Amino acid sequence: MSGRMDGSVQALGYSGPPPWQWSDLATSWTAEPLVLTLSVLLAGWYLLAVRTVNRAGADGGGSVDGDGSVDGGGSVDGGEGERWQPSRTAAFLGGLLLWIWATCSGLGVYDRILFTDRAVQVVLLLMVVPLLLALGAPVSLLVESAPERRRERILRALRSRPSKVLMFPAVSTALLMAPPWLLYFTPWYEESVSSASGNVLLHLALVLLGLAYFWPRLQIDPVGHEYPHLIGLFITFAEVIFDAGLGLVLIYGGHLVAEHYYVALGRPWGPSLAQDQTWGGNAFWVLGDLVGLPFLAALVRRMVVQGREEIKAVDAELDARFEEAAAEARAEGRPEEEETGMRPWWLDDPNLKHRYGG
């Protein structure tokens, strides 16, 4: 069936919002109580927890550092007297504000009317909002602001088997890649646009699934099991392929998603059903790839920072070993350079030492 709406459908009457305009993104608003309530509660908790951590830092207590990982002993690495990074607070609160905007602004007003609006909303709720929330390191903040006894329980839960399974790369990646395909090619999509409760559930489920993906991928918060960031880069490229594949299927697949719902809606303005889905497929494809760029930048930055930290740790250990060996050589009256294990191996290799004056 083509996307053209005939007169019999329009005769059923259209009771939705007026024709969409760009200004509606800022001037049209609706209320979604669950998202608003959760956002206010989470923002309030976060700010109170930040104040608790900053007070502890001012008093000389430990706080979560830039790593925030669970080490082999199950503790949160921290420094003395550190304050919570304002950039993390900005990222977390920004994620909450974007969650509200994506569901309560004009994007939320038309998310059950236009396929394109829903596609843009899916990208924001599944990829952008969770990324910002994860950059806020809420789990690290929860651990650091909790009393000592509760902190150990939280860390124990993070080291549990269910947590490790959830954070396994293949599992967390599936939680991001599978939902869009399931949404558009199962009854889930039509349920989300035809039911108010289904719509609210989608707005919540996408953010939770995205968090389950970005939390172990960024490894800013404590995680049950760390894995090399290089794996994260490969997963990012796989995600780009999946986004492109879904976009191409929506654009050229020849199947109209939730066709019966949109026909019964009887929208008398705007693009045809087919054109609307084509625009939505393009929006999902392009925005999905663009959203991956900030995450890729954050991942690369994380790799650089972690690499510098590892180099500093190795240098410090080598310096300590050298000083110890030098002190022993002086005490025994031996030349320091004769201390075994401290010379570069190529100076003692018979095939190479003559090139370097060994």
Side-chain angles (χ1 to χ4, degrees):
M1 176 180 176
S2 67
R4 181 177 56 85
M5 302 181 185
D6 55 28
S8 62
V9 173
Q10 294 187 31
L12 297 177
Y14 169 75
S15 57
W20 185 91
Q21 298 178 356
W22 283 103
S23 59
D24 289 318
L25 296 177
T27 59
S28 297
W29 294 90
T30 185
E32 188 162 307
L34 180 60
V35 172
L36 290 171
T37 301
L38 287 176
S39 298
V40 171
L41 291 177
L42 288 172
W45 163 78
Y46 194 95
L47 293 175
L48 288 175
V50 168
R51 186 174 67 173
T52 300
V53 171
N54 286 341
R55 284 181 174 177
D59 295 338
S63 64
V64 179
D65 67 357
D67 187 296
S69 60
V70 178
D71 60 21
S75 63
V76 176
D77 300 329
E80 293 295 327
E82 293 184 0
R83 297 176 64 85
W84 191 254
Q85 298 178 14
S87 59
R88 291 183 173 182
T89 303
F92 189 84
L93 296 181
L96 294 178
L97 289 175
L98 182 60
W99 192 13
I100 294 174
W101 181 83
T103 55
C104 299
S105 70
L107 202 63
V109 172
Y110 289 89
D111 63 354
R112 298 166 64 187
I113 306 298
L114 291 170
F115 185 94
T116 303
D117 272 51
R118 174 66 88 189
V120 173
Q121 187 184 70
V122 167
V123 173
L124 294 178
L125 296 183
L126 184 63
M127 301 181 186
V128 185
V129 171
L131 174 59
L132 291 173
L133 296 179
L135 287 173
V139 179
S140 296
L141 183 61
L142 175 65
V143 172
E144 188 60 26
S145 62
E148 190 66 32
R149 184 176 302 177
R150 189 184 305 170
R151 180 183 306 180
E152 182 56 35
R153 289 200 298 266
I154 297 173
L155 293 173
R156 193 181 306 118
L158 294 174
R159 298 192 299 270
S160 65
R161 182 174 297 274
S163 176
K164 291 182 178 180
V165 171
L166 179 64
M167 297 182 184
F168 187 72
V171 176
S172 60
T173 302
L175 292 176
L176 184 81
M177 293 184 179
W181 289 85
L182 295 175
L183 175 65
Y184 288 114
F185 298 106
T186 68
W188 185 14
Y189 185 90
E190 190 157 357
E191 176 66 22
S192 72
V193 292
S194 60
S195 167
S197 59
N199 190 43
V200 174
L201 180 62
L202 178 70
H203 294 164
L204 178 62
L206 291 177
V207 173
L208 292 177
L209 291 171
L211 272 174
Y213 170 76
F214 286 109
W215 175 8
R217 286 289 307 280
L218 288 172
Q219 299 187 37
I220 295 176
D221 271 326
V223 293
H225 176 70
E226 295 186 5
Y227 56 92
H229 290 292
L230 187 60
I231 295 179
L233 292 177
F234 285 118
I235 293 175
T236 300
F237 292 128
E239 176 196 336
V240 170
I241 295 174
F242 269 76
D243 290 345
L246 179 56
L248 290 173
V249 171
L250 292 175
I251 296 169
Y252 302 110
H255 168 70
L256 292 178
V257 178
E259 180 180 8
H260 296 295
Y261 168 81
Y262 285 118
V263 168
L265 187 65
R267 172 172 51 82
W269 49 264
S272 66
L273 301 186
Q275 185 64 56
D276 189 22
Q277 183 166 313
T278 298
W279 291 354
N282 279 285
F284 184 90
W285 182 0
V286 174
L287 290 179
D289 289 346
L290 289 177
V291 165
L293 295 179
F295 171 71
L296 191 61
L299 190 60
V300 171
R301 179 182 179 277
R302 177 72 178 145
M303 292 175 62
V304 172
V305 171
Q306 186 173 4
R308 289 175 178 172
E309 293 174 351
E310 292 176 353
I311 291 174
K312 288 174 60 177
V314 171
D315 287 344
E317 181 180 356
L318 291 176
D319 290 342
R321 289 173 55 189
F322 180 81
E323 292 297 333
E324 181 180 357
E328 292 179 359
R330 287 193 299 268
E332 297 176 2
R334 293 183 288 104
E336 297 180 15
E337 63 272 15
E338 293 183 1
E339 179 63 26
T340 59
M342 301 310 297
R343 287 163 54 86
W345 63 270
W346 55 83
L347 295 182
D348 298 315
D349 189 291
N351 299 318
L352 298 176
K353 63 180 182 179
H354 66 280
R355 300 183 182 180
Y356 302 97

